Amino acid sequence: MISNTALRYAKALFDLSLEKGQVESVYRDVILIRDTAEASAELKVFLKSPVIQNRDKEEVLATIFKERVNPLTFQLLQLLSEKSREPLLVEIMKGFIQYYLEHTGVIEVQVESATPLDEPVVEELRKVLERRTGKSVNMQITEEPELMGGLTVRIGDTVIDGSVRYSLERLGSKLKEHTLVP
């Protein structure tokens, strides 16, 4: 869940990048920043530390990103340091991605499957989801053997659970409801 504060920064960056005609460039920057921050546990801890001074955080962010990102994106990094909002960096990047995908008519869908899905099944699932949502679908598929069979699909806050595990849990609940206790 992305905080309201992070969404406000993300929306401001998105709107400004759209206004300046730099949304694609900023989107690539945002992906780079998100991936870099998520790949480094040390960077995440560093940015969230209340003990480390803002100017030190700003210097580290400048060293890592200044020559690699659009000036507009770098201005956001500087602003986050000035306002002590560095701990929100990854959340803000995720918020920007949400706004970008919404703008481009793409939705993120997380699929968990008990077994690996072959390509024809993945494409059929994509087509079904695109028909149901009316949008292009960007699927992230993970294998979760504990589902015992079937799959779950998460689109935003909506979860479609077609797993064997869920079916067994529902059956167990119904049996408990109808069992006579002496």
Side-chain angles (χ1 to χ4, degrees), residues 17-182:
S17 68
L18 200 55
E19 178 185 311
K20 302 271 187 193
Q22 299 176 12
V23 73
E24 295 297 327
S25 173
V26 172
Y27 175 71
R28 286 189 299 275
D29 295 346
V30 163
I31 297 295
L32 170 70
I33 293 166
R34 181 206 59 192
D35 291 350
T36 302
E38 286 188 332
S40 172
E42 295 86 5
L43 181 57
K44 279 193 273 192
V45 169
F46 177 81
L47 292 174
K48 290 184 178 189
S49 174
V51 177
I52 299 171
Q53 298 294 314
N54 291 357
R55 68 183 178 295
D56 294 332
K57 292 178 184 181
E58 186 175 354
E59 286 177 22
V60 167
L61 289 173
T63 301
I64 297 171
F65 296 114
K66 187 171 185 178
E67 301 299 322
R68 298 173 70 192
V69 299
N70 181 308
L72 187 60
T73 309
F74 188 69
Q75 285 175 355
L76 172 74
L77 297 178
Q78 290 175 309
L79 178 65
L80 294 177
S81 292
E82 289 170 20
K83 302 287 185 185
S84 300
R85 298 293 193 188
E86 306 91 344
L88 297 175
L89 181 65
V90 172
E91 267 190 87
I92 293 167
M93 299 302 106
K94 288 179 180 180
F96 182 96
I97 292 166
Q98 280 183 355
Y99 288 117
Y100 176 84
L101 293 175
E102 187 178 300
H103 174 74
T104 58
V106 176
I107 58 168
E108 293 267 314
V109 175
Q110 286 76 40
V111 177
E112 294 178 341
S113 174
T115 59
L117 300 176
D118 58 6
E119 195 56 36
V121 172
V122 170
E123 285 310 308
E124 185 60 30
L125 180 59
R126 182 184 317 279
K127 286 178 189 173
V128 167
L129 292 171
E130 286 177 347
R131 277 195 304 268
R132 279 188 88 180
T133 63
K135 297 185 179 213
S136 295
V137 171
N138 182 13
M139 281 195 299
Q140 306 299 320
I141 302 172
T142 56
E143 198 173 319
E144 300 292 337
E146 63 270 8
L147 294 177
M148 295 188 246
L151 50 88
T152 63
V153 177
R154 179 181 303 274
I155 305 170
D157 293 336
T158 303
V159 177
I160 303 165
D161 196 336
S163 67
V164 171
R165 179 184 66 192
Y166 178 69
S167 297
L168 290 172
E169 288 171 0
R170 279 192 9 220
L171 179 61
S173 294
K174 286 182 181 180
L175 286 172
K176 285 180 186 175
E177 288 174 16
H178 298 298
T179 302
L180 296 175
V181 179

